[in-house]
Amino acid sequence: MTDKKRKTIKWAEEPKIGFAEAIYLPAIVEGLKTTLRHAFEPRKTKQYPEEKPDLPLNYRGLHRLNRDDEGRVKCVACYLCQTACPANCITIVAAQPPSDDPHWAGRDKFPASFEIDELRCIYCGMCEEACPVDAIELTSIYDLTGMSRDEMIFDKEKLLSVFDKTVGGDKDPIRTHHGALGPASEIDLRTAQVAPPPPGHGRPG
Amino acid sequence: MTSPSSPQSPAAPSPPLSTTMLVDDVEVAVGKKENIIQAARKAGVEIPHYCWHPDLSVVASCRMCLVEVGDRRPNGDVVMGPKLVPACQTPTKPDMVVKTQTPKVKQSQSTTLEYLLLNHPLDCSICDQAGECYLQDYTFKFGHAHSRLQEPKIQRIDKHHIGEQIVLFTDRCVMCTRCVRFTREVAGTAELQVINRGSGEEIDVFPGHPCNNKLAGNVVDICPVGALCSKDFLYKKRVWWLKNQESVCTGCSTGCSIHADQSDDHLYRLRPRENPLAQGRFMCDEGRFGFHYVNDPNRLKLPIVRADRTPTDATSPAGKFDDPWPAAIQAVHHAMTRPDRKNIVILSPFMTCEEAYLLASWAKSLPSPAHLALGPVPMTGDDDHYPKGPKGESPSGRSIKFTIRAEKAPNRWGVAAIVQHWEGDLVDWSQTAQQLAAGQFQQAYIVGGASGYLDQLDITWVASLSFLTVQDILPSPLSERADVVLASGSFAEREGAFVNHAGLAQLIKPAIRSPGEARPDGRLLMGLVVRPGLYHAATIRDEMADIMSAFKAWKGNSLEPDGLMLERKILTATVVHVPPISQGGSANKGD
Amino acid sequence: MSMADLWPLLTAIAIVMMIVPTIGLYMTFVERKVAALVQDRLGPNRVGPLGLFQAIADAIKIMLKEQVTPAQAQKVLFMTAPGIGLVASLMAIAVVPFGPVPTDQPAGVFRFMIAPGVDIGLLFLLAVSSLSAYGIILGGWASNNKYSMYGAIRSCAQFISYEVPLGLSILGIVAYSGTLSIEGIVASQSAGILHWNIWWQPLAAIIFFTSALAETNRLPFDLPECEQELVGGFHTEYSGIKFVLFFLAEYTHVVTVSFLVALLFLGGWHFPGVPSPAVGLTGSAILSMLILVIKVMMVVFFILMLRWTLPRFRFDQLMGLAWKGLIPLAMANLLGVVIVLSLGGSRWIMLPVSIALFVAGGYASALSFERAGRPVPPRPSTHLIKQGVA
């Protein structure tokens, strides 16, 4: 009657202990065979400072704030990265650019301050995923060190300088360039024209 | 809101003189002057709509609320109409059958949304409305993900000139014309209008006549999309970070119900909260934008004790963790309990009833019982009624839709009733000031509670006092000369009840924490009057109901959600003429 | 005793006292290298050529570390416990030859041993090396820390249990050689490779080696410092130089045990083709010493390899192995030796007897598992599952 029930529960059986197991020696020999085999295998160690790791392009390292074609910060201060951040390490203060400044023509909102606490960050990459305009990206810079906590709080200028340093390199992050994320990221802000959608991609709204 | 009638078996034929209708197979009662949107709400169905607003006329222009409508024949047959009809414009009638979930309706909703979004820019990332936007919500619920538009979107120029407090992001507009109807029908000032036709339609103002009426801020609230934004709040905070608390506007004695939106103990904006007993669904700009003093960096953050009225820097406590409050309260206690001095306690119309009661009952229990007085009540001009006529004239009678009161304090009535309970009659502030000037009192305890409230006071009488305690939130000339200054809380930090001009008692609830070591008045007074336990407004209200006949109705009433009308008869008996003083302070100005 | 008689002793003491801690220090390095070997890594290779100075760097670092003493600890015992452990380990070395020591050694020549000619050498060694448990128990108790205490108690139980098979297992050899002095036992194996004790006492060798591992707290018997359960075991609260002393004691113990295995079972400094060494510090003596050292190094390497080969025993398995496996087997083995020797039979009878005993022991063990089942918690019965109770 309980056959059906019994099938739903799977008991993991411990391996049976027979003669060979009870005298231990075969198991020890077996184990030694494994360890000795490894002793003669090629070493897998990478000599780090001399030998740099070959990181995949989707490695999640230090953040950078991208610039648009005119060198302005691409970020529109939408706070979505701050909202998505599980470590609460992003602090943005939004502002309205002066309307008569030609530098900010076509821009309604920009981050007056943009700070990332790199010590608090867990490098999960959710900021990058949340960003509707591909403004924040994680580079493959992994060896980030500093002498003080203040030094590790990256402000807007510092994050932009990371962009300047990494852009165009062979490790330019490609995650966000991999196909169209959203049409908002493809708006050319100067002409405010929407790029045509890539085939097969609809545009929300 | 009446509760939906219990659903009966829809299959059974109804009696010929039915009073019910069917919305998505749910039987609901037919109400008076209801449209289908309201009837559907009773059935638990939300019909999407943009242009319809319960306080405005119906234009049925957005076409978002189209539903299928039919009739239920006496023999039980249901006959549906061939066309979709706008739910906002169709009055309900018995035996009406409404279907909101049919493929036809859904198709209509999604194509309507696609049309509305044709030229809508994809700037949710910078749009302040994102998070509370009906375009976002309805697109998510009723729309579909793709736009078939091949041509470039029409780009329009933002209109920052549209008003001092409002900005129009023209390309986000869906032309529901709620704002236009609001300025015509509620404000009566009719600044906003639609210009051009077809896809060239835009909201605009007459050149040189921006939308600066005292109710202009409401157009930001009623705009279902992010087209009209508040310049005051623009880009300050994304709305999903805000937490709101129910409160009451302290700008005038109308006592508009509001939401106080805060984040991280910073008050970001006030929004009207629908309350049919208080003000309806709107609020004025004076109140809406007059809250910034709450975030003022100059707020009193520590109690100050001055020896011999010599201003000494007592603002920094001795140690990092030393509580400065016991010393301040001790000083007040020490002075006020002297039996050989004549005391006066001046209550503020910005106090809640509970706080005023705590202080008044303590004042009367002193060895030398204090004289209670109501402080000055700020008055500005006359009551301002809306909608205005074509030439700016005020309406009268039943056509009044909104009133900004001349009395710029939220709780004169409540505090007056408390003073009268102990003093028998209520005297003018001018009389009280004369008494003070004549040196009738040696020690005074005066309460402020709002920006600029005590600033404009003639304080020559301070010289005649031997001890002055000021309980206030911002430094003022009076607090400069006080022996003890008790740093208290603004309306956003306090808890209690305000009684408005009509006798409506409403609750304010603490939205943020007081800056620094300042204490909200309730907590401060609990310490001062040495009552055991924490400040709990409901307990004190029960106590007041037992003692004072004016507040009898409070007994066991939570005052939720809309408040409670106190018996006007009792309250009006306490009202005396209060001479106006001019309203000072810059932060409280709305326009 | 003249100065001439004394210098070989002082030299031997100096060598032992200087070499043994250094060996202990370098054991850490070797251990890390062996670990790397097994795990396809390189191991420490940054400090000095091939990373050889790593051990020195570690020693300097750990000596400069802060000395933390828990507030509620028994200060005096807390301080002395590591010392007791190390002293016990070093004292055991006194009767262990580290090179060829002929039984008829004249005075006044260099001897590869601190105290040659001690008739009760093996007894002394067993007694003194057990003392190191004293250091562990004291340290664990004085730390005033639950985990240290648990570690110490485990250590206590483990020592008591494994002392018994350790002693029993070598009694057969002692009975055959007729001496308790280690150089005497080595001398009895000098006739050739087939005379090594391991050939006729394989079971005793296994039991001795196993028990010795348990005595040294090495894996798979390092229950007293089992990280998963006891943080650091008895040395949880120890840091800096006091921790080093515990560490040194453990590694000294490992070295001692390896020497014993080589001396008691593997023919000591004898090897086929190598003539018996001349007395004193001669070339042939040094060659013999190298043979011994190589044998010891192989045992050490085997111990280190075992660490990365075997998982740790559960505590009940550990005690079960000693009391239900090793002690009865050692007893039976001793009984066999005594019977064979007293009846005047060839000691080679013990080879099949040992194998038979081992097989019988394994069979009995397997049978007991079969019959009694393993000590696992009872499973909820089906009807309880059905009722949603379990």
Side-chain angles (χ1 to χ4, degrees), chain B residues 252-525:
Chain B
C252 75
S253 61
T254 298
C256 295
S257 283
I258 55 170
H259 289 292
D261 287 351
Q262 62 93 12
S263 173
D264 297 329
D265 288 335
H266 185 100
L267 198 57
Y268 279 96
R269 63 173 181 185
L270 303 183
R271 283 178 301 135
R273 174 163 57 97
E274 181 181 344
N275 186 346
L277 296 178
Q279 93 285 11
R281 294 183 178 84
F282 305 117
M283 72 186 288
C284 73
D285 285 7
E286 263 172 57
R288 182 188 296 268
F289 302 117
F291 67 89
H292 288 290
Y293 68 90
V294 171
N295 304 321
D296 195 325
N298 295 325
R299 280 280 300 273
L300 293 170
K301 298 185 180 70
L302 287 168
I304 302 167
V305 182
R306 294 195 185 94
D308 302 331
R309 204 179 288 186
T310 318
T312 56
D313 188 13
T315 50
S316 57
K320 195 178 173 188
F321 299 111
D322 282 1
D323 186 359
W325 278 97
I329 286 177
Q330 185 69 34
V332 177
H333 255 282
H334 181 71
M336 297 294 278
T337 51
R338 288 175 67 158
D340 55 334
R341 299 272 176 87
K342 286 195 76 178
N343 298 324
I344 181 167
V345 170
I346 301 160
L347 303 175
S348 148
F350 289 93
M351 300 175 92
T352 65
C353 297
E354 293 88 337
E355 291 156 0
Y357 166 75
L358 274 181
L359 185 56
S361 58
W362 175 71
K364 282 299 174 188
S365 69
L366 291 171
S368 156
H371 177 73
L372 285 181
L374 174 64
V377 177
M379 305 283 279
T380 310
D382 296 317
D383 289 357
D384 197 5
H385 300 294
Y386 289 88
K388 297 285 187 213
K391 294 185 173 121
E393 69 270 23
S394 286
S396 62
R398 299 182 66 85
S399 60
I400 295 175
K401 290 182 175 167
F402 195 89
T403 305
I404 304 170
R405 303 274 156 193
E407 185 184 305
K408 300 294 180 196
N411 196 25
R412 199 250 312 201
W413 298 66
V415 176
I418 289 164
V419 172
Q420 211 193 17
H421 173 77
W422 270 288
E423 294 299 333
D425 61 337
L426 193 65
V427 296
D428 278 0
W429 167 247
S430 56
Q431 255 175 284
T432 309
Q434 277 168 19
Q435 288 173 340
L436 281 164
Q440 284 192 22
F441 302 103
Q442 281 98 50
Q443 305 191 121
Y445 186 116
I446 183 161
V447 183
S451 163
Y453 170 54
L454 295 178
D455 286 6
Q456 302 290 315
L457 229 50
D458 174 27
I459 52 169
T460 47
W461 42 267
V462 170
S464 69
L465 294 174
S466 63
F467 191 83
L468 173 66
T469 310
V470 172
Q471 171 187 330
D472 204 354
I473 60 171
L474 281 157
S476 66
L478 191 64
S479 68
E480 290 296 314
R481 300 186 60 181
D483 297 271
V484 176
V485 181
L486 302 173
S488 63
S490 70
F491 76 96
E493 294 136 42
R494 289 188 274 139
E495 188 183 0
F498 286 150
V499 180
N500 81 348
H501 72 100
L504 175 70
Q506 299 183 80
L507 288 187
I508 58 167
K509 297 176 185 172
I512 59 176
R513 287 173 293 182
S514 296
E517 293 288 325
R519 288 185 175 176
D521 302 36
R523 187 179 161 209
L524 189 161
L525 290 169

Side-chain angles (χ1 to χ4, degrees), chain C residues 148-169:
Chain C
S148 302
M149 190 64 197
Y150 284 138
I153 288 171
R154 281 185 176 192
S155 176
C156 193
Q158 192 177 327
F159 264 91
I160 288 171
S161 305
Y162 280 87
E163 283 286 293
V164 183
L166 188 76
L168 281 176
S169 62

Side-chain angles (χ1 to χ4, degrees), chain C residues 53-76:
Chain C
F53 299 161
Q54 182 72 46
I56 298 162
D58 285 348
I60 293 170
K61 180 205 78 174
I62 207 159
M63 281 178 194
L64 294 175
K65 272 194 156 185
E66 188 188 357
Q67 301 281 322
V68 180
T69 307
Q72 304 298 318
Q74 272 281 343
K75 296 262 174 350
V76 177

Side-chain angles (χ1 to χ4, degrees), chain A residues 16 31 38 43-45 47, chain C residues 36 38 40-42 46 370:
Chain A
K16 201 170 167 297
H38 276 282
R43 307 290 94 181
K44 297 190 172 64
T45 308
Q47 293 290 323
Chain C
V38 172
D40 301 346
R41 297 186 284 111
L42 289 173
R46 292 273 153 187
E370 188 99 350

